[in-house]
Amino acid sequence: MEGLLLFAHGARDPAWARPFETIAERLRAARPGTPLAMAYLEFMSPGIEEAAEQLATAGCSRVHVLPLFLGTGGHVRRDIPPLLDRLRERHGDAIQWLLHAPLGEQEAVLNAISLACLAILE
């Protein structure tokens, strides 16, 4: 079974997470049979290990890890790979962890942001 792990930075202010929670809710509504977990790098919970356990418990053998970052900065290059290495060590071959490009680098998101910016000028 395939699952989706959404991974965001996290913040001290709980209001910061609202857009990410909305995304997770919409995805769950669109794909009710797909296990989905939200995780945060710091300040908020769950962390990636706890979210990964949720997906493992749900029976996932393949998990798509989607960083909810605008670009490939230090967190995506330096912080996420070792976290995924720990998950691979913990779960062995039972779960395949697939890291995808950050959300902000995907064409559909770039188009949506561009359209939102242009809408301000109308």
Side-chain angles (χ1 to χ4, degrees):
M1 175 184 302
E2 292 197 330
L4 179 61
L5 195 158
L6 302 175
F7 191 63
H9 186 276
R12 289 182 177 90
D13 183 351
W16 173 90
R18 281 190 203 124
F20 302 106
E21 292 167 358
T22 298
I23 290 168
E25 289 169 12
R26 290 179 183 182
L27 291 171
R28 286 184 183 107
R31 299 284 300 265
T34 300
L36 181 143
M38 184 77 219
Y40 300 96
L41 179 62
E42 55 190 7
F43 305 120
M44 303 180 101
S45 62
I48 196 167
E49 290 182 8
E50 184 180 345
E53 285 304 316
Q54 293 172 12
L55 295 171
T57 300
C60 293
S61 58
R62 186 175 191 184
V63 175
H64 298 272
V65 179
L66 179 56
L68 300 181
F69 291 80
L70 284 178
T72 303
H75 290 309
V76 173
R77 280 195 307 272
R78 289 189 308 265
D79 296 332
I80 295 175
L83 293 171
L84 292 181
D85 287 343
R86 280 198 296 247
L87 295 178
R88 290 181 182 109
E89 288 173 16
R90 173 180 270 176
H91 297 280
D93 292 335
I95 301 176
Q96 183 181 18
W97 305 94
L98 304 170
L99 179 60
H100 292 270
L103 188 65
E105 294 184 1
Q106 297 185 23
E107 191 60 31
V109 174
L110 294 171
N111 285 336
I113 291 171
S114 297
L115 291 173
C117 293
L118 289 172
I120 290 171
L121 299 173
E122 293 178 0

